[in-house]
Amino acid sequence: MASSEPSGRRGEDSPLLRAFLEKRENLLLFLAARTRSMAAAEDLVQDLYLKLATLDAGAEVRSPTALLYRMASNLLIDQVRSEQRGSRRNAQWRLDTRAILGGEDVHEEPAADEQILARERVRLLAEATQALPPQMGRAFRLHKLEGLSQAQTAEAMGISRKMVEAHIAAAIKQLAQRLRS
Amino acid sequence: MTSIAEQQEDRAVTEAGAWLARLQRDDVGEDDGLAFEAWLAAAPANRSAYVQSLGVWHEYAAGAEEVTAELARQADRPRPLSRRWVTGIGGLAIAAGLAIAILPGVLSQTASQSFVTGKGQHQRVRLEDGSVIDLNAETRLKVSFVRSERKVVMAEGEAIFDVAPDKARPFTVAAAGRTVRVVGTQFDVRSRQGELTVTVARGKVEVRPGVATGHDYLLTPGQRLAVGATGVEDLRVVDPQEAFGWRIGRLVYRNQALSVVVADLNRQFVEQTEIGDPELGAIPITGVIVLDDPRAVMARLSLMLPIRSVPSDRGLLLLKK
């Protein structure tokens, strides 16, 4: 962490920080593929920046862009782990609350910071999902709605991971085309 | 017939889907990143197709539980009920990409709470008495509950109030120097730049002058009272769903000047539209505007009007065709 030069100066000189600033938008889009929102992806980009600042400025980096994506990939894998922990904790919390309230339906009240969609839009999303071909729809639901990894989805459906990825890719195309305007 | 541009766009959308799927791999790494980087740089259409698909992808993330519940419901009842009234409002395909945040209403007996929305933000507030307030973009209001009164002060903006009946505690909304008083009802209050409109969908709503001068009105369902900045009052019969359309991502206009329509759009989107030619501002607009994104909205408007839109540093600039 200790540096003899002010960090602003170092930033100008470090090829890694320069590459980061140049690639920031692309890194954001890369990370956002795995986060639940753009805001969460922004947080990860910020984490990435902080990690860069602690790297040894003197270290020689052959390909800054490759290093940036390696670090970004590691962040993704870490955050998926912590998100899984988080959602399990949430589910547990909901279960407890429900038990305390004697089975009353409390899950209609989301946490204050939780973004939820307008009911009208939810119906459109559901209709678009319904319109997917059966196998494609099943892969999409297991992976995106029930939160299974691609490997878990492949296992559940008895097909290859490659096939799952192809189903998801085609599903995204169809959904994006149907839902945009 | 498909043009080359359409083919390119279709390919970009296909590849965007493939990229989003590939980046879900459990062992995603730097090679994927570098290839992704190269793909983004290969064509501008790639980036916009990816951003578009990413938006849908995030919507599914945000609404996974709700969509799953809705799918279960649709499986029981293949024809969704509310399609009917959606068609009633204009029969257009809906593309309201607006996400809203729902806050739990946790107001204590005498607490007051402020709510503020910015550009493009909608917010639903559930109050302790069961009333619901939907805030439109760029709205500021304060809610305070005391034993004898439920009181809202709207500094600026627009909101739909769905008021739970409680005869002992009337619900009042103070806006633009007037007080709107109800017992249990649904209505929309819009207060922008000193102009006030109140539209009633259900129940009875009383509008009193308060600090401003003017008359007392008792509005019934389907009535709209508009009070201009100079105090001119206008009472007319409207379809309340028109005034309530913004909540589901659509704006309905009858003979409204383009300048007013653009001002409304600029509240709904971060990207701002400017009218480059003052003559254009007076063009009357009648129709339903679906709020998906400003460029798409302007593209559709330019099909009906003698206008064209060009990109500017703030967003879009409207010019004469």
Side-chain angles (χ1 to χ4, degrees), chain A residues 169-170 172-178 180, chain B residues 1-19 39 43-50 52-53:
Chain A
I172 294 170
K173 180 190 181 183
Q174 191 170 321
L175 295 170
Q177 280 180 329
R178 182 177 167 131
R180 72 183 152 180
Chain B
M1 193 187 76
T2 48
S3 67
I4 291 173
E6 277 167 333
Q7 282 172 21
Q8 280 172 344
E9 201 196 306
D10 187 71
R11 198 182 59 201
V13 176
T14 306
E15 291 176 357
W19 269 110
W39 175 75
N46 290 352
R47 181 180 294 269
S48 59
Y50 180 81
Q52 183 98 242
S53 303

Side-chain angles (χ1 to χ4, degrees), chain A residues 26 34 69-70 116 123, chain B residues 23 30 37 47 82 100:
Chain A
N26 294 351
R34 290 283 273 272
Y69 277 102
R70 185 154 71 240
I116 86 151
R123 222 196 27 259
Chain B
L23 296 181
E30 81 180 67
E37 173 87 26
R47 181 180 294 269
S82 36
I100 60 167

Side-chain angles (χ1 to χ4, degrees), chain A residues 24 60 67 71 74-75 148 150:
Chain A
R24 195 184 181 285
E60 199 172 309
L67 178 59
M71 293 173 72
N74 290 340
L75 275 176
L148 299 189
Q150 291 200 347

Side-chain angles (χ1 to χ4, degrees), chain A residues 18-28 65 68-69, chain B residues 37:
Chain A
R18 225 173 24 235
F20 170 79
L21 293 175
E22 205 176 287
K23 305 290 184 195
R24 195 184 181 285
E25 278 304 301
N26 294 351
L27 287 162
L28 177 70
T65 310
L68 287 173
Y69 277 102
Chain B
E37 173 87 26

Side-chain angles (χ1 to χ4, degrees), chain B residues 49-294:
Chain B
Y50 180 81
V51 169
Q52 183 98 242
S53 303
L54 190 59
V56 173
W57 189 244
H58 283 162
E59 279 190 295
Y60 276 103
E65 261 179 57
E66 290 82 0
V67 172
T68 305
E70 181 64 28
L71 279 166
R73 249 199 308 277
Q74 285 182 5
D76 296 341
R77 175 174 50 82
R79 274 236 190 109
L81 232 163
S82 36
R83 256 241 178 277
R84 251 186 293 139
W85 85 267
V86 168
T87 320
I89 212 171
L92 294 177
I94 298 189
L98 297 169
I100 60 167
I102 299 206
L103 297 179
V106 283
L107 293 178
S108 63
Q109 273 303 90
T110 51
S112 88
Q113 216 175 335
S114 293
F115 299 95
V116 178
T117 53
K119 282 194 191 303
Q121 285 185 316
H122 288 182
Q123 186 177 324
R124 169 166 290 188
V125 179
R126 289 174 197 279
L127 304 177
E128 55 160 26
D129 64 332
S131 299
V132 176
I133 307 178
D134 280 299
L135 279 75
N136 201 343
E138 294 196 322
T139 297
R140 283 180 291 136
L141 57 79
K142 194 169 89 181
V143 180
S144 37
F145 276 24
V146 292
R147 200 165 304 152
S148 58
E149 195 185 15
R150 297 171 285 173
K151 192 170 155 193
V152 174
V153 177
M154 184 191 283
E156 173 80 12
E158 177 166 19
I160 295 174
F161 297 86
D162 213 329
V163 176
D166 183 352
K167 285 216 159 78
R169 269 206 303 180
F171 194 106
T172 64
V173 181
R178 282 180 164 68
T179 307
V180 181
R181 187 173 178 277
V182 301
V183 179
T185 178
Q186 190 187 32
F187 61 103
D188 179 281
V189 175
R190 178 186 163 104
S191 170
R192 302 272 192 205
Q193 276 106 43
E195 294 181 16
L196 176 74
T197 61
V198 180
T199 312
V200 179
R202 247 195 359 253
K204 284 189 179 143
V205 173
E206 189 184 65
V207 184
R208 280 194 221 175
V211 293
T213 55
H215 302 93
D216 273 10
Y217 286 90
L218 186 62
L219 306 180
T220 54
Q223 285 189 324
R224 161 183 288 182
L225 176 68
V227 184
T230 53
V232 180
E233 294 163 345
D234 174 44
L235 182 65
R236 61 179 63 193
V237 175
V238 297
D239 176 356
Q241 292 309 342
E242 292 185 7
F244 289 51
W246 61 262
R247 191 164 54 170
I248 56 163
R250 49 188 55 218
L251 302 176
V252 186
Y253 296 103
R254 286 186 196 280
N255 269 324
Q256 191 62 262
L258 180 63
S259 56
V260 175
V261 174
V262 167
D264 281 346
L265 291 174
N266 284 342
R267 293 190 186 98
Q268 303 295 343
F269 300 120
V270 176
E271 195 174 9
Q272 299 290 290
T273 301
E274 276 176 285
I275 301 180
D277 185 329
E279 258 180 56
L280 291 177
I283 298 178
I285 309 267
T286 296
V288 179
I289 292 179
V290 177
L291 297 169
D292 40 10
D293 80 280

